[in-house]
């Protein structure tokens, strides 16, 4: 039985780039899709065959292999595949097989080509410098990552005169399986638990024996710029479980283990989403989301673009939210009336990084009564508590569905938005800014579709409200001093640092939101808003290009900073010391901030005309 267009539209509306299509284009795309049900092991297509269209995974898992039979990705719900063949000559360059029972949506090739020609956001998503291996799989591809990205830095080491008893105790206390033996910065050898068992314990050597007697002397090393695949080959052929990493001058910089390689290959957004979809409780979800910083560091190291990385990271948050909703309904029973769980903030915009709290709300069907609120309060508590366990902290401003104010029938939400627009005081501006970034996550999507369109129309038509929103968007400014140097934080824990969130990406986020408001643009993602604003003439083509490039640089600098923190075992944050950048990098970042400031000034002048 073929699903109706409304079911397919709901699926597409929650996934990029379809969420950026005009309503009529989304409806037409849905009508051009047919459903395919695949059993475990079913082949979907083979390399060299003519592709009928673009495949999207609705349920289940699909494995994609290259022409040589090597696995290149494991795809879960929301992922698409076969675009590489379609973008070339229509012939498949990979093969695809259902790993488990899967439901696929097939977008007809003619419609795929048509959307590329009529919807710039669609063409940009599939044509822009995307890696040959889908981004979701690159996190586990050892052929595209350097050893520096996955090795353990500053490994434990001892001198050659240390005793084997001292070494054994150190390994036990620190929970490691090897120690490097060094003389100064020079690597002399490596000592593993296997060496202790086979060369010391088995031979009955006393605990005072120097490690130099039982270590493996002059071990094979690789440099940090070697590829992960080089390490895998070296370790496999040499039957090695540990590989020291030294720089070009022979100085120790790290160590790589078989466990590191295995863990790296196991971390990808598709794998993680699949695990979440099968998680039995919030603790199981939290065990998966704990690997997000590692995923982020891997994706940055593989060269993925910032909007791809944040999209993949946000997909995991979406999956965790939907799974918690399912768990809540299993515990509470079916909902008494239709409802929709929505996210706002960075999750709503699909811009989550390694640092995120939760911002969410519930829209209830107007049939909801006061008696029904106990059910939805319990559902909200289950989901928000689960998200907190999974690392998405409770919102400091209580912008969550657990707050009765943000758990209301559709008619109340309409009153909220109309009230904020009619009387745009500072509180209304703040709330409207947050709620204009709403995105449906789980439930009845029709509850939001009409609300979003009518709110954009109402807001854009009120010049006083628009002027207030512009003023609100100018409160966060780029960190530029009087002479356009960096204006650093002057005191406190982050003294002499840049805040790459509030003074970096947020000013652009605010600009994008205002452009969407004034142009009645439906995209919620900041980059998509900038592209749509250019397409609709809300801002000039040159201004849009400059601002997009500036945003890309700022966002990528922020992610690179967080990835570096993760690699060094630190918790990622948004505060970066400019001294960690090269002079050229600082110059480019400064120029990017100047572009943002210039666009803010232009918007401010437009506000004066509205006032």
């Amino acid at each position: 039985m073929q699903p109706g267009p409304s079911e397919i539209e709901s699926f597409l509306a929650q996934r990029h780039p379809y969420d950026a299509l005009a309503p009529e284009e989304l409806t037409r795309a849905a009508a051009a899709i047919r459903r395919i049900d695949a059993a475990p092991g079913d082949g979907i297509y083979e390399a060299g065959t003519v592709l009928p269209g673009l495949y999207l995974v609705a349920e289940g898992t699909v494995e994609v292999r290259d022409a040589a039979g090597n696995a290149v990705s494991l795809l879960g719900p929301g992922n698409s595949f076969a675009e590489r063949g379609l973008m070339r000559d229509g012939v498949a360059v990979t093969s695809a097989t259902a790993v488990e029972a899967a439901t696929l949506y097939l977008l007809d090739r003619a419609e795929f080509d048509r959307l590329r020609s009529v919807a710039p956001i669609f063409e940009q998503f599939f044509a822009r410098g995307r890696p040959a291996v889908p981004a979701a799989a690159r996190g586990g591809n050892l052929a595209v990552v350097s050893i520096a990205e996955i090795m353990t830095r500053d490994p434990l080491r001892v001198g050659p005169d240390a005793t084997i008893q001292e070494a054994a105790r150190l390994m036990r206390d620190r929970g490691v399986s090897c120690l490097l033996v060094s003389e100064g910065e020079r690597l002399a050898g490596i000592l593993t638990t296997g060496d202790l068992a086979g060369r010391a314990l088995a031979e009955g050597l006393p605990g005072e024996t120097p490690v130099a007697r039982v270590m493996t002397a002059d071990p094979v090393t690789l440099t940090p710029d070697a590829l992960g695949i080089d390490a895998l080959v070296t370790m496999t052929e040499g039957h090695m479980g540990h590989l020291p990493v030294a720089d070009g001058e022979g100085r120790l910089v790290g160590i790589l283990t078989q466990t590191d390689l295995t863990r790296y290959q196991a971390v990808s957004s598709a794998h993680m989403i699949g695990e979440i979809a099968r998680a039995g409780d919030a603790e199981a979800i939290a065990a998966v989301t704990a690997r997000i910083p590692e995923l982020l560091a891997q994706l940055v190291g593989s060269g993925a673009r910032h909007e791809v990385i944040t999209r993949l990271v946000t997909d995991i948050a979406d999956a965790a939210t939907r799974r918690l909703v399912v768990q809540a309904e299993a515990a509470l029973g079916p909902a008494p009336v239709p409802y929709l769980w929505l996210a706002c903030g960075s999750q709503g915009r699909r811009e989550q990084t390694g640092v995120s709290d939760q911002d969410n709300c519930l829209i209830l069907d107007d049939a909801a009564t006061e008696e029904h609120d106990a059910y939805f309060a319990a559902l909200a508590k289950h989901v928000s508590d689960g998200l907190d366990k999974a690392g998405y902290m409770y919102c400091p401003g209580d912008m969550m569905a657990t707050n009765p104010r943000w758990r209301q029938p559709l008619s109340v939400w309409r009153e909220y938005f109309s009230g904020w627009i009619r009387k745009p005081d500072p509180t209304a501006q703040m709330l409207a800014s947050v709620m204009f970034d709403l995105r449906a996550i789980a439930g009845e999507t029709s509850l939001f579709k009409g609300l979003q369109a009518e709110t954009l129309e109402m807001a854009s038509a009120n010049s006083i409200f628009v002027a207030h929103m512009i003023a609100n968007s100018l409160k966060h400014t780029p960190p530029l001093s009087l002479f356009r140097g960096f204006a650093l934080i002057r005191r406190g824990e982050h003294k002499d640092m840049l805040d790459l969130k509030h003074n970096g990406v947020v000013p652009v986020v605010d600009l994008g939101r205002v452009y969407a408001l004034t142009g009645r643009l439906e995209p919620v993602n900041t980059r998509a808003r900038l592209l749509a604003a250019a397409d609709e003439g809300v801002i000039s083509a040159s201004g849009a290009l400059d601002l997009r490039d500036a945003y890309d640089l700022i966002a990528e600098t922020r992610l690179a900073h967080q990835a570096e923190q993760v690699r060094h075992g630190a918790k990622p944050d948004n505060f970066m010391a400019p001294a960690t950048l090269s002079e050229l990098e600082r110059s480019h970042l400064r120029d990017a901030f100047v572009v943002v400031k210039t666009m803010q000034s232009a918007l401010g002048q437009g506000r004066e005309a509205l006032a």
Side-chain angles (χ1 to χ4, degrees):
M1 176 180 177
Q2 295 290 317
S6 60
E7 178 184 339
I8 297 176
E9 281 189 49
S10 296
F11 177 84
L12 297 180
Q14 298 180 45
R15 284 154 181 89
H16 195 63
Y18 307 94
D19 59 349
L21 295 176
E24 62 273 18
E25 294 293 354
L26 185 65
T27 299
R28 180 168 174 174
I33 284 177
R34 67 183 176 91
R35 171 174 171 161
I36 299 173
D37 292 312
D42 280 358
I44 299 165
Y45 62 78
E46 294 293 331
T49 58
V50 176
L51 291 164
L54 180 74
Y55 293 85
L56 297 89
V57 183
E59 295 178 7
T61 307
V62 172
E63 183 180 62
V64 176
R65 293 180 175 270
D66 62 21
N70 300 309
V72 296
S73 61
L74 191 66
L75 306 177
N79 293 132
S80 58
F81 59 101
E83 63 266 37
R84 287 181 62 205
L86 291 174
M87 297 290 285
R88 295 169 66 177
D89 55 5
V91 176
V93 295
T94 58
S95 62
T97 305
V99 176
E100 57 186 27
T103 298
L104 309 176
Y105 289 156
L106 177 61
L107 176 66
D108 178 77
R109 180 181 175 183
E111 180 63 11
F112 175 77
D113 291 337
R114 191 193 70 81
L115 284 171
R116 288 175 55 202
S117 66
V118 301
I121 190 74
F122 200 88
E123 169 65 8
Q124 288 152 1
F125 181 81
F126 287 105
R128 65 185 179 212
R130 301 181 85 206
V133 179
R138 295 189 70 192
N141 190 347
L142 293 173
V144 298
V145 66
S146 69
I147 290 176
E149 306 294 337
I150 54 178
M151 70 183 184
T152 299
R153 298 173 183 268
D154 301 320
L156 287 176
R157 62 179 78 184
V158 295
D161 295 331
T163 68
I164 58 175
Q165 185 177 47
E166 291 170 339
R169 286 175 175 169
L170 181 59
M171 293 165 72
R172 178 199 64 189
D173 294 343
R174 300 295 291 273
V176 298
S177 58
C178 74
L179 294 173
L180 295 180
V181 184
S182 62
E183 295 176 315
E185 292 299 316
R186 189 187 72 83
L187 177 66
I190 184 171
L191 181 73
T192 69
T193 52
D195 294 327
L196 288 175
R199 298 177 182 175
L201 184 61
E203 297 298 329
L205 297 180
E208 295 77 19
T209 303
V211 296
R213 183 174 170 183
V214 298
M215 71 183 186
T216 299
D218 300 320
V220 174
T221 66
L222 288 180
T223 56
D225 58 351
L227 294 177
I229 193 66
D230 297 329
L232 178 61
V233 171
T234 300
M235 296 169 75
T236 301
E237 292 181 346
H239 304 287
M240 302 159 55
H242 309 81
L243 179 66
V245 183
D247 64 18
E249 298 181 4
R251 290 188 296 261
L252 277 172
V253 294
I255 191 166
L256 193 66
T257 68
Q258 285 285 0
T259 301
D260 293 329
L261 296 177
T262 301
R263 183 174 62 246
Y264 181 82
Q265 290 176 299
V267 176
S268 75
S269 61
H271 277 93
M272 294 168 72
I273 289 172
E275 289 182 58
I276 289 172
R278 296 185 292 272
D281 53 31
E283 286 71 20
I285 294 174
V288 179
T289 55
R291 305 202 301 270
I292 288 177
E294 185 179 358
L295 172 68
L296 182 144
Q298 291 179 8
L299 289 169
V300 171
S302 70
R305 294 181 58 88
H306 74 89
E307 70 270 23
V308 174
I309 296 172
T310 54
R311 168 59 194 269
L312 293 174
V313 170
T314 305
D315 283 348
I316 295 171
D318 290 355
T321 304
R322 284 191 283 267
R323 186 58 181 165
L324 287 164
V325 168
V326 169
Q327 292 174 0
E329 288 189 349
L332 300 171
V337 296
Y339 71 92
L340 178 63
W341 184 282
L342 304 98
C344 46
S346 59
Q347 184 183 359
R349 297 190 304 273
R350 288 193 171 105
E351 293 168 7
Q352 287 191 319
T353 66
V355 189
S356 297
D357 59 6
Q358 55 175 293
D359 300 280
N360 46 62
C361 64
L362 275 170
I363 297 179
L364 312 180
D365 188 275
D366 281 335
T369 64
E370 291 185 9
E371 290 73 23
H372 294 151
D373 187 61
Y375 176 94
F376 291 109
L379 183 142
K381 185 176 189 310
H382 181 99
V383 177
S384 288
D385 286 353
L387 289 173
D388 183 67
K389 288 180 181 178
Y392 305 98
M393 300 169 289
Y394 296 120
C395 173
D398 203 20
M399 301 281 289
M400 299 184 297
T402 50
N403 183 338
R405 185 179 186 185
W406 310 124
R407 187 178 67 244
Q408 293 291 334
L410 177 59
S411 58
V412 175
W413 279 99
R414 284 197 166 97
E415 292 174 5
Y416 282 167
F417 278 102
S418 62
W420 295 333
I421 294 168
R422 286 196 312 270
K423 298 179 179 180
D425 58 29
T427 300
Q429 295 167 32
M430 182 274 292
L431 293 174
S433 294
V434 173
M435 294 303 175
F436 273 126
D437 292 350
L438 283 173
R439 181 171 60 85
I441 303 296
E444 182 51 62
T445 57
S446 63
L447 289 171
F448 179 60
K449 195 169 184 179
L451 176 64
Q452 181 188 33
E454 64 189 52
T455 300
L456 282 172
E457 182 175 357
M458 188 190 331
S460 62
N462 187 322
S463 61
I464 296 176
F465 176 75
V466 171
H468 278 274
M469 288 295 291
I470 292 174
N472 188 63
S473 74
L474 302 180
K475 291 179 179 178
H476 292 102
T477 58
L480 293 170
S481 64
L482 181 62
F483 298 103
R484 291 195 169 180
F486 288 130
L488 306 180
I489 297 171
R490 302 182 64 179
R491 60 179 64 86
E493 178 185 359
H494 305 296
K495 185 176 183 294
D496 295 331
M497 293 186 178
L498 295 171
D499 185 341
L500 292 174
K501 177 181 178 181
H502 291 101
N503 300 117
V505 298
V506 167
V508 187
V509 169
D510 290 342
L511 286 172
R513 186 183 299 114
V514 171
Y515 297 152
L517 170 63
T518 56
R520 302 182 185 181
L521 309 174
E522 293 191 357
V524 176
N525 174 265
T526 297
R527 201 172 192 277
R529 281 172 165 170
L530 299 182
L531 294 170
D535 291 340
E536 296 299 322
V538 177
I539 51 177
S540 68
S542 61
L545 182 61
D546 287 346
L547 185 57
R548 185 198 66 194
D549 288 346
Y551 178 58
D552 287 346
L553 179 62
I554 296 167
E556 285 166 4
T557 300
R558 179 192 185 198
L559 286 179
H561 163 70
Q562 292 187 1
E564 189 66 14
Q565 289 179 304
V566 172
R567 294 184 197 112
H568 284 87
K571 186 176 181 180
D573 63 26
N574 295 298
F575 302 97
M576 184 194 72
T580 60
L581 301 176
S582 69
E583 178 56 40
L584 183 61
E585 290 171 327
R586 289 195 296 272
S587 177
H588 286 324
L589 184 60
R590 191 181 301 113
D591 290 344
F593 288 145
V594 170
V595 169
V596 177
K597 183 65 176 177
T598 301
M599 296 300 287
Q600 284 186 324
S601 298
L603 188 64
Q605 292 172 2
R607 175 213 170 198
E608 292 174 3
L610 289 171

